[in-house]
Amino acid sequence: MRGASLVLSISFSFLIVYSLSQERHPSYTELLREYSEADQLYHKALHINTSTDKGAIWENQLNQLALSKFRNLEQHLPQNSSADSLHFFLSLKTGELYHYFDSLVPAQLYYNRAIAVKQRLPFLVDSFVFKPYLFSGNIYFRQNKLDEAAVCFKKAEAIQEKYSLKLEESERLFNDLGLLYFQSGNYQQASNYFRKAGHVLAKNNPFYEDLFVNYQINYAIVLFKLEKFSEADSILHGLLPYGLHLDEIYNNIGLIQHRLKKFQEAIVSFQKVHYSNALQIGLQNDRANAWLALKNYDSVFTYLNAALQKNKKFNRKNTSVDFGLSLKIYGDMEKDQSNFTQALRHYQQALNQFYPAFTDSSIHANPKKFTGRFSYVHLFHTLEAKAAVLDALYLQTKNMYWAREELNAFGAAFLLIDYIEKTYDSDEARLFLEKSKYAIHDRPVVLAFDLYTKTKLKDFLEMAYELDQKNKATVLAFNDHRNQLNIPATGLREQEHHLKVAITRLSLQAPSSEAVLRKESERQISELEMQLGKVQEKIGQHYPVVTMKVPTISFIQNQMLDDETQLLSFHLGEKKLTVFSITKSAFRGIEKNIYPEFYKDLENFVSRLHTLSDTLSSDDEENKRLNLFLLDSVLDPSFKRLIIIPDNELNFLPFDALKQGNSFLIEKYSIQYQYSTLLLKKDNKDFSKATTVSFAPFTKEDYSGESLKFYQLPQSLQEVSGLDGTLFINEKATKQNFLDNYGRNQIIHLATHAVAYDSAGHFSFIAFAPWNDPTQDGYLLYAPEIYNLDFSKNRLVILSACETGFGKLVKGEGIMSLSRAFSYAGCPNIIASYWKADDQATAYLGQKIHVYLKKGFSVDEALQKAKKDYLLDRSINPRMKQPAYWANLVLIGNYQPHAHPFDYAWIWSIILIVAALLILIRRFIRSPA
């Protein structure tokens, strides 16, 4: 705390007096007196009330006088070791005063000098260089040198972590770290640090209200970036009564209004802002942007010129994010007026500002390699804008040169996303990043396919395929790739696991807690997420994840597929459906216009499946239209199995239920699903000798708790009986037994209840035996808990519980389901249920799957045969043979070449035939001539 720092300062001041007195030199007494005079002015200025103009003027004058005295003292200070302690304080306070006057270069010089002096003073504790590192990092940040800023902030943070008490200005450190993460686009971590700054801010701090309002503004800005507009707006309006930082408050209220397309209201809010510092540049940009939305180009031009003039004053020739934003807005204005070449020039100059390491001014150049920290988000959106202009040029001129240039710009944007994903420390941050990528994912695929159609060059078709895969489940693929690094389970990985478990536990408790407890839980979660970020940053340094590469067509054909398999990857664009078909000997692309009723047909068809409707028949018009649209001219009837990679809303569709003539698709093909070819792996695992750990908690009775009720599943016992391995039923099928045993068998089979939420997916769960421990923590396994487990030793999870494949659709990433949680946690094959299952039908299918696995069939073929048996079984009521009863179970997993297991009946038949032939031959030979 400040008191602790003050004690250290007083103690060290005593060392100054002592060391100088030992010199027995009369000039040292004079030097110390001069230092004390300047120091008194410095501290007097700190405690002046600056809320009035008179107070601000008086503060400025005192600081000017203190700086003059410190500089004069410096010229007379002897350059020897006995005066090093005085050198340190003199350098630090001179740097602070230059910083106060916004003279950043000399301020940086003096901070570095203070740090260098500390190296010569072994008796000086690290807490004394906390401020020089912090303030030096702040200057680097303002100069857009984010790497240097990060180094300084991290050193200051490491010093703070050595002390149980809060060091003076530590709240500023956490705020600055928040700004660093904010500038890098990692809004989730920025939020944690801004909240931390508010938590550690002491109410007895003389500047408490001023700092509190400042940190709350920053937190509101993060919420705004996370698209929590009403929450951000509420915080900002709640700060108005303080009467502090009103310019920043109204500026950000205007930004929210602009984002909500309330442009006139935004302009009114901006008019209330009157900055006197470098923030004027951003304000003029904001005003220009608002007028641009209203197509008032004269006003745009006026405010952009004002921004450029202010930039010259405050930033001179240094690179600047604000200057880059001015240039981008210029480009946007030129694009609006169809001045495409001028727009490209401005965008190119903006790229140079947002990524200083990229200096090529040619409009045909794009950054291809990325290092360090920079303004990721602004760079991405400028590449996106550049691609849009190149697209306009292509459409205007029909010249394929501009189309190739457009693809290059998109390529740079996707390379940037790949780089950013590796720098972020959480899946939440990566998922938010996916939203930006998804916004532009369609156009490059359509464009590449258009070029393929015109040129017939397979390179463009392969490019379209690669772009499509790069926009599917990349967060899941990133984690899978990271898991392949074989990071030791001890040390950093162990810390990471414990932190994730703690965060999960608090996250599940927080929403149901009382307001005070919820606030404390949220604070603890922020603390843990910051710790987790540091651990994951260290893991990334020791075990870097290389850029993920989409498997090439030739690799898939030569190394993956057998002669019986067709892979179909769907790209569901804004206006067109593109299907990529890959077989061992052919690669095709098919493009179709999306028919007007498609989404309605899809929604109705899936909805009726989810309600166990009996109305789906072979004459169903929706089924016919969907089948014709999705599969006509796509399917090759000569193959026996399909690997389907769906896209967006197609993730909800079980293709098994589509009709091919009088047969369901599953009757002709074994079908498996995958998120992306980035995750496609070849698996030669034979499950014929695999053992299974099974759980069936509800075989004999219902359960009614305080908030949940689970009905008996009488057929679930039949589903899992007789399997090789371990069986837990009824009261033995506990969550704890699952946690103790799940890694001991290659197959996990859960015949139980599950509930999936599409709006609050982290509360989706699988139910275990509730009788021994009726608390929900004791018998419900939540999705976040599954994410934290390690299922890499398991080869197959069968989730015959309801809705385990259902959840919220995240565009580009897939369905946030319980089955995805098992995939994320390392299990390569999951059989999941898309909707609430019928107990009898599910039990039948589950039992049959194991029968065929034991015979050596691949998982997809075992599932197909189980469904075919169900459809052919005459003992089953025909009403229950509608796809609503059996199409819910789907396989998401590895590619497993068909092993064609031996049918021993045929072998014995062949042996008998051969034996009979041998007997006939012998008789023929022995017979007389």
Side-chain angles (χ1 to χ4, degrees):
M1 299 181 69
R2 187 175 182 126
S5 297
L6 183 60
V7 170
L8 291 173
S9 299
I10 293 171
S11 301
F12 197 64
S13 296
F14 172 78
L15 290 174
I16 295 174
V17 175
Y18 177 78
S19 62
L20 292 175
S21 65
Q22 297 306 301
E23 294 290 335
R24 309 274 183 201
H25 195 290
S27 63
Y28 287 143
T29 303
E30 181 64 23
L31 290 173
L32 187 58
R33 185 187 63 78
E34 290 182 23
Y35 174 82
S36 297
E37 289 178 1
D39 193 49
Q40 287 175 13
L41 294 169
Y42 166 88
H43 281 94
K44 191 172 183 179
L46 278 177
H47 295 90
I48 286 177
N49 184 351
T50 58
S51 60
T52 65
D53 290 341
K54 185 177 179 180
I57 293 171
W58 182 225
E59 179 191 41
N60 190 286
Q61 290 175 346
L62 286 173
N63 280 328
Q64 285 278 14
L65 189 56
L67 178 59
S68 177
K69 284 184 173 293
F70 280 136
R71 288 299 312 275
N72 183 63
L73 175 61
E74 180 187 9
Q75 295 174 12
H76 298 93
L77 196 64
Q79 301 297 314
N80 57 50
S81 59
S82 62
D84 272 352
S85 53
L86 187 56
H87 270 296
F88 173 81
F89 283 106
L90 188 62
S91 298
L92 172 59
K93 291 177 180 177
T94 303
E96 287 186 45
L97 288 167
Y98 272 122
H99 204 161
Y100 169 84
F101 289 112
D102 230 20
S103 298
L104 301 185
V105 174
Q108 185 76 271
L109 175 68
Y110 279 98
Y111 291 145
N112 289 339
R113 187 177 295 176
I115 293 169
V117 171
K118 158 65 179 71
Q119 307 306 319
R120 303 198 296 267
L121 301 172
F123 53 85
L124 187 62
V125 293
D126 285 349
S127 61
F128 282 97
V129 286
F130 174 79
K131 281 187 179 180
Y133 278 127
L134 169 60
F135 297 155
S136 186
N138 182 273
I139 291 174
Y140 281 130
F141 181 83
R142 290 180 60 182
Q143 294 172 336
N144 201 29
K145 298 177 179 178
L146 301 189
D147 282 332
E148 293 87 340
V151 170
C152 291
F153 289 150
K154 293 296 183 182
K155 287 183 177 179
E157 189 178 25
I159 292 170
Q160 170 62 83
E161 288 175 350
K162 293 181 180 180
Y163 298 91
S164 58
L165 296 176
K166 178 178 73 70
L167 297 177
E168 186 180 357
E169 301 282 6
S170 62
E171 65 275 356
R172 185 191 296 269
L173 167 66
F174 298 125
N175 183 66
D176 285 353
L177 280 165
L179 291 171
L180 184 70
Y181 282 109
F182 180 87
Q183 193 71 4
S184 301
N186 190 343
Y187 301 127
Q188 185 65 36
Q189 198 65 292
S191 166
N192 290 329
Y193 274 97
F194 287 143
R195 292 170 72 180
K196 171 83 169 182
H199 290 316
V200 302
L201 178 61
K203 290 192 175 181
N204 62 357
N205 188 309
F207 308 104
Y208 172 79
E209 282 196 354
D210 185 271
L211 293 172
F212 171 78
V213 171
N214 181 39
Y215 300 156
Q216 284 292 100
I217 291 171
N218 288 342
Y219 180 54
I221 296 170
V222 170
L223 292 175
F224 163 65
K225 289 293 186 180
L226 290 170
E227 300 179 0
K228 299 178 180 180
F229 304 121
S230 60
E231 192 175 342
D233 189 67
S234 176
I235 289 174
L236 291 170
H237 278 91
L239 295 173
L240 288 173
Y242 286 91
L244 299 169
H245 298 288
L246 293 177
D247 288 333
E248 288 88 344
I249 292 172
Y250 281 118
N251 197 163
N252 287 293
I253 288 174
L255 290 174
I256 294 173
Q257 291 165 334
H258 184 280
R259 182 67 174 76
L260 297 174
K261 300 187 185 303
K262 301 176 181 179
F263 305 120
Q264 292 288 2
E265 293 179 36
I267 290 169
V268 171
S269 294
F270 294 148
Q271 287 172 345
K272 298 177 182 179
V273 182
H274 306 283
Y275 293 128
S276 59
N277 53 21
L279 293 175
Q280 294 178 67
I281 309 168
L283 173 63
Q284 304 300 352
N285 284 336
D286 295 337
R287 287 171 169 166
N289 230 350
W291 285 112
L292 180 61
L294 295 171
K295 310 297 182 185
N296 188 327
Y297 301 118
D298 289 339
S299 295
V300 177
F301 190 78
T302 298
Y303 286 116
L304 283 179
N305 276 343
L308 293 178
Q309 292 303 315
K310 297 298 181 184
N311 184 72
K312 287 180 182 178
K313 175 183 176 182
F314 290 104
N315 293 320
R316 298 180 177 87
K317 294 183 179 180
N318 295 323
T319 58
S320 158
V321 172
D322 282 331
F323 182 35
L325 286 171
S326 298
L327 292 166
K328 183 181 180 299
I329 296 168
Y330 259 120
D332 293 341
M333 180 174 65
E334 298 288 6
K335 180 183 71 173
D336 261 17
Q337 300 176 88
S338 299
N339 299 323
F340 299 133
T341 304
Q342 294 92 320
L344 287 173
R345 291 197 185 102
H346 283 114
Y347 288 147
Q348 198 67 23
Q349 292 172 325
L351 293 176
N352 299 148
Q353 293 295 314
F354 295 139
Y355 184 33
F358 176 65
T359 58
D360 198 324
S361 60
S362 169
I363 63 172
H364 309 290
N366 299 294
K368 296 180 180 178
K369 293 183 179 180
F370 303 97
T371 57
R373 296 172 185 258
F374 48 89
S375 187
Y376 305 146
V377 176
H378 294 313
L379 184 69
F380 175 80
H381 288 309
T382 305
L383 286 167
E384 175 188 1
K386 181 179 178 180
V389 170
L390 291 165
D391 186 59
L393 280 168
Y394 170 55
L395 295 175
Q396 182 185 73
T397 64
K398 308 301 180 185
N399 188 336
M400 285 194 294
Y401 170 80
W402 295 115
R404 290 187 174 92
E405 290 284 286
E406 181 185 353
L407 286 174
N408 288 336
F410 277 125
F414 290 138
L415 285 174
L416 174 61
I417 292 291
D418 290 341
Y419 174 75
I420 300 172
E421 280 183 330
K422 290 186 287 185
T423 67
Y424 282 178
D425 51 27
S426 72
D427 287 336
E428 288 76 11
R430 295 186 189 99
L431 283 170
F432 191 80
L433 181 68
E434 286 296 300
K435 297 176 73 173
S436 296
K437 185 170 70 169
Y438 179 79
I440 66 168
H441 86 294
D442 184 40
R443 178 57 193 162
V445 174
V446 172
L447 177 62
F449 198 92
D450 184 44
L451 293 179
Y452 163 68
T453 302
K454 291 177 178 178
T455 65
K456 302 305 178 186
L457 294 174
K458 279 294 180 75
D459 288 349
F460 286 120
L461 183 59
E462 292 202 20
M463 185 183 295
Y465 150 79
E466 183 178 350
L467 289 165
D468 173 54
Q469 300 307 309
K470 278 188 174 182
N471 286 283
K472 287 179 175 173
T474 53
V475 174
L476 191 59
F478 179 91
N479 181 74
D480 178 73
H481 196 59
R482 185 173 180 262
N483 287 339
Q484 306 307 312
L485 298 176
N486 295 319
I487 304 171
T490 57
L492 291 173
R493 195 61 181 265
E494 190 175 30
Q495 292 178 43
E496 180 187 42
H497 174 72
H498 289 315
L499 286 167
K500 284 184 174 182
V501 169
I503 290 169
T504 296
R505 185 180 65 252
L506 286 167
S507 298
L508 294 171
Q509 292 172 351
S512 58
S513 304
E514 295 179 3
V516 175
L517 294 176
R518 183 166 63 249
K519 191 171 183 180
E520 174 59 20
S521 293
E522 289 170 353
R523 185 194 67 77
Q524 292 179 34
I525 289 170
S526 291
E527 291 279 353
L528 293 169
E529 285 181 343
M530 287 187 287
Q531 293 179 38
L532 178 62
K534 294 171 193 172
V535 170
Q536 291 179 327
E537 188 175 328
K538 289 179 183 177
I539 291 175
Q541 292 169 354
H542 291 91
Y543 305 94
V545 177
V546 298
T547 301
M548 296 177 292
K549 293 184 178 180
V550 174
T552 63
I553 298 299
S554 61
F555 176 83
I556 293 174
Q557 290 177 323
N558 297 326
Q559 303 296 324
M560 297 289 291
L561 301 183
D562 60 21
D563 294 322
E564 299 179 340
T565 306
Q566 183 179 16
L567 185 152
L568 299 175
S569 181
F570 292 82
H571 173 83
L572 192 58
E574 184 178 346
K575 297 179 180 179
K576 295 178 182 293
L577 171 74
T578 308
V579 188
F580 301 96
S581 168
I582 309 173
T583 65
K584 194 167 185 64
S585 59
F587 172 47
R588 296 188 301 134
I590 302 97
E591 189 177 69
K592 302 180 180 183
N593 292 321
I594 298 175
Y595 67 92
E597 300 85 12
F598 167 70
Y599 286 102
K600 185 178 180 181
D601 280 353
L602 182 62
E603 182 181 1
N604 289 342
F605 184 74
V606 172
S607 176
R608 284 191 287 155
L609 287 171
H610 282 229
T611 54
L612 289 179
S613 169
D614 298 334
T615 61
L616 291 172
S617 68
S618 59
D619 298 325
D620 184 75
E621 291 301 319
E622 289 163 355
N623 194 323
K624 288 181 179 179
R625 285 195 296 268
L626 289 171
N627 175 68
L628 184 67
F629 175 61
L630 295 172
L631 300 176
D632 186 54
S633 73
V634 172
L635 275 182
D636 188 328
S638 64
F639 293 99
K640 296 181 179 179
R641 66 191 313 199
L642 296 175
I643 302 173
I644 293 176
I645 300 176
D647 190 29
N648 293 337
E649 285 80 3
L650 289 177
N651 281 281
F652 292 116
L653 174 67
F655 281 71
D656 309 36
L658 294 178
K659 297 285 278 189
Q660 289 282 293
N662 293 322
S663 302
F664 292 108
L665 195 65
I666 193 65
E667 295 180 80
K668 296 185 176 181
Y669 304 89
S670 65
I671 301 173
Q672 69 182 90
Y673 300 82
Q674 189 51 272
Y675 297 97
S676 164
T677 57
L678 280 165
L679 288 156
L680 189 64
K681 295 184 179 68
K682 191 173 184 178
D683 189 349
N684 292 312
K685 174 64 184 174
D686 179 5
F687 287 94
S688 61
K689 297 180 181 178
T691 58
T692 304
V693 58
S694 309
F695 291 82
F698 300 100
T699 70
K700 65 179 183 180
E701 60 181 297
D702 298 344
Y703 172 78
S704 294
E706 290 184 6
S707 58
L708 293 171
K709 181 173 183 177
F710 301 109
Y711 291 103
Q712 179 188 4
L713 300 173
Q715 300 297 320
S716 60
L717 181 59
Q718 174 191 342
E719 182 178 344
V720 294
S721 293
L723 302 179
D724 290 342
T726 308
L727 172 61
F728 295 95
I729 61 171
N730 301 324
E731 67 276 0
K732 297 291 185 181
T734 63
K735 176 180 176 181
Q736 190 56 53
N737 274 336
F738 174 80
L739 295 175
D740 291 340
N741 291 275
Y742 73 86
R744 298 179 180 177
N745 301 80
Q746 293 175 338
I747 302 175
I748 300 172
H749 192 131
L750 302 179
T752 180
H753 287 286
V755 173
Y757 296 100
D758 57 354
S759 58
H762 59 293
F763 284 115
S764 299
F765 62 79
I766 296 171
F768 289 89
W771 294 279
N772 293 332
D773 188 351
T775 64
Q776 291 185 6
D777 283 346
Y779 71 91
L780 300 183
L781 182 66
Y782 290 97
E785 295 179 286
I786 298 171
Y787 277 94
N788 295 335
L789 298 174
D790 180 7
F791 290 95
S792 58
K793 293 180 181 178
N794 305 110
R795 306 308 299 163
L796 172 63
V797 174
I798 301 174
L799 303 171
S800 64
C802 304
E803 299 181 322
T804 49
F806 178 72
K808 180 181 180 181
L809 175 64
V810 174
K811 299 277 189 172
E813 189 63 24
I815 298 175
M816 300 293 107
S817 62
L818 289 162
S819 60
R820 182 185 185 276
F822 280 97
S823 293
Y824 183 96
C827 185
N829 301 290
I830 296 96
I831 293 177
S833 174
Y834 270 16
W835 56 84
K836 290 183 179 180
D838 174 78
D839 182 33
Q840 183 176 341
T842 302
Y844 184 102
L845 294 170
Q847 187 181 42
K848 286 285 187 176
I849 289 168
H850 286 285
V851 169
Y852 287 112
L853 289 176
K854 280 298 176 187
K855 291 183 177 181
F857 288 96
S858 62
V859 183
D860 63 306
E861 199 169 13
L863 180 58
Q864 180 202 22
K865 286 183 173 296
K867 290 182 177 182
K868 288 175 72 173
D869 285 356
Y870 181 88
L871 290 169
L872 293 171
D873 195 324
R874 294 183 178 181
S875 67
I876 298 174
N877 189 321
R879 179 183 65 83
M880 295 180 64
K881 292 187 178 181
Q882 297 296 334
Y885 288 87
W886 54 263
N888 58 311
L889 289 182
V890 298
L891 166 65
I892 305 165
N894 282 350
Y895 170 70
Q896 200 178 349
H898 283 174
H900 297 294
F902 290 112
D903 188 327
Y904 290 100
W906 278 101
I907 293 173
W908 281 111
S909 297
I910 292 170
I911 291 172
L912 289 174
I913 291 171
V914 170
L917 288 172
L918 288 174
I919 292 171
L920 287 173
I921 292 170
R922 288 181 64 184
R923 286 180 178 177
F924 177 76
I925 292 173
R926 290 179 180 176
S927 61

